[in-house]
Amino acid sequence: MTIATAPVSVRMTLAEVRALARRVLLQVGLSGDHAHAVAETMVAGERDGCTSHGLYRLLVAAKSVRAGTVVPDAMPLLSEPARALVRVDGGGGFAQLAFETGRAMLVEKARRYGIAALALNHVVHFAALWPEVEWLAGEGLVALAFTPSHAWVAPAGGTQPVFGTNPIAFGWPRPGRLPFVFDLATSAVARGEIELHRRAGKPVPDDWGYDAAGQATTDAEAVLAGAMRTFGGHKGSALAAMVELIAGPLIGDMTSAESLAADGGAGGSPLGGELIVAIDPAGFLGDQVEAHLARAEGMFAAIEGQGARLPSQRRYAARAQSMAHGVEIPAALLADIDALVAGE
């Protein structure tokens, strides 16, 4: 007699991932515009093999809605503080819709003035930054993005949280090819990775963080309750401080410590701001832009020619596979999502 076993994972098309994400986000209370914008970041995460930013984030988003951290029907407000500046007040909603609200004006100003900046204020963050800079690079612009988070990360030489994971993302347009993109946390690892280890009951490396007493630990739960480490010691710590300043006080928004204090123990996603800088290469180079972008291709060829991998190549390879064959979603995660919906 054959005993049937439960599947470990379920294969889904990207269209099915999108439909599931939108349905759940609507059921937990997000307005249609927010559900559409937020779902696309989750689809991008699954599509590109970044599972900690995929459907798992439905649980994170729902927690923020239930905790009252996010305004589910916030209407972003667009303004122009100066000729080359754009501001979007997100009204306490998720950052994705705020970015969609301001990105067209950012592109227009970058092309008009050569360089422009977009400040997103009063938004809730839970996703990666690479979809934003990749979109801008797809418009032919060089892009940088920065955002703080909650104070989860200790500075180099310390063991108590001060910084957020404080990612930095960069996009470079490559005519006729997918953009050069990187997105890295200034912490040793993304917090979502630690959360996935906790869910799976797996230990983490002992250089990822400290427990609440400031001792190194391999217990994922203890790190989440204590402090994460920066990558590269004092170098990551300096970059984390830079992100705190330029995406906090510079744009009139919260630091990571202030975000955590504002959360008040509710356990929601980080509150605060994001700074995005967009540069039009043609603004500096004029009719020489194609020649100089071709010089950049020489650097990429030199990297790849010796067998080194460019950032984002793994994501692009995963994208090609998932667009052709779909993605594998853990059955346990789908069960948690079903339970989440059933509890609404």
Side-chain angles (χ1 to χ4, degrees):
M1 181 177 66
T2 301
I3 300 176
T5 57
V8 175
S9 63
V10 176
R11 182 165 291 278
M12 299 176 66
T13 67
L14 294 179
E16 289 170 335
V17 170
R18 178 176 290 105
L20 174 62
R22 289 183 181 177
R23 175 172 60 84
V24 171
L25 290 167
L26 288 170
Q27 285 185 263
V28 301
L30 285 190
S31 68
D33 286 346
H34 277 287
H36 170 81
V38 170
E40 288 307 305
T41 67
M42 297 176 182
V43 173
E46 293 293 348
R47 179 198 65 198
D48 287 10
C50 303
T51 55
S52 65
H53 289 284
L55 288 178
Y56 163 71
R57 297 283 165 156
L58 285 172
L59 308 180
V60 179
K63 185 176 182 180
S64 290
V65 173
R66 287 173 170 171
T69 301
V70 65
V71 179
D73 58 352
M75 296 292 291
L77 180 62
L78 180 69
S79 63
E80 301 177 68
R83 287 187 302 173
L85 300 181
V86 185
R87 184 188 300 276
V88 178
D89 188 324
F94 283 121
Q96 286 85 353
L97 186 58
F99 174 68
E100 287 191 3
T101 300
R103 66 186 184 182
M105 184 177 288
L106 175 65
V107 170
E108 186 273 329
K109 287 182 179 290
R111 288 176 177 158
R112 181 186 303 179
Y113 301 113
I115 184 170
L118 166 63
L120 305 182
N121 288 110
H122 308 132
V123 293
V124 177
H125 277 281
F126 72 90
L129 297 177
W130 58 259
E132 298 173 7
V133 297
E134 184 178 324
W135 186 88
L136 290 166
E139 294 292 310
L141 303 176
V142 175
L144 294 123
F146 315 86
T147 188
S149 56
H150 280 334
W152 288 319
V153 182
T159 60
Q160 300 303 306
V162 174
F163 305 136
T165 55
N166 291 14
I168 298 170
F170 176 78
W172 177 274
R174 301 183 68 186
R177 305 186 64 172
L178 290 166
F180 171 80
V181 173
F182 71 74
D183 181 341
L184 55 87
T186 53
S187 53
V189 65
R191 190 169 181 85
E193 286 296 321
I194 301 176
E195 291 171 340
L196 290 179
H197 277 70
R198 177 190 62 77
R199 286 173 56 83
K202 294 167 54 179
V204 300
D206 62 6
D207 60 353
W208 279 14
Y210 307 98
D211 62 19
Q215 301 299 310
T217 179
T218 61
D219 185 324
E221 187 75 41
V223 173
L224 292 173
M228 302 164 63
R229 298 193 193 193
T230 58
F231 83 87
H234 69 281
K235 295 180 180 180
S237 189
L239 289 172
M242 178 193 73
V243 173
E244 292 286 335
L245 295 171
I246 65 175
L250 180 65
I251 62 171
D253 224 307
M254 295 186 187
T255 64
S256 296
E258 290 167 340
S259 171
L260 190 62
D263 180 71
S269 294
L271 309 160
E274 177 181 345
L275 176 66
I276 303 167
V277 179
I279 305 168
D280 181 9
F284 286 101
L285 301 170
D287 58 8
Q288 295 295 307
V289 63
E290 291 185 7
H292 288 292
L293 288 179
R295 291 178 56 240
E297 291 301 311
M299 184 196 72
F300 296 135
I303 294 170
E304 294 179 290
Q306 57 186 294
R309 178 176 65 84
L310 291 176
S312 70
Q313 281 186 328
R314 182 198 61 78
R315 289 196 300 103
Y316 292 151
R319 182 180 303 182
Q321 288 295 311
S322 62
M323 291 180 72
H325 306 293
V327 293
E328 294 284 338
I329 306 298
L333 174 58
L334 292 174
D336 286 344
I337 292 170
D338 285 342
L340 168 71
V341 173
E344 288 300 318

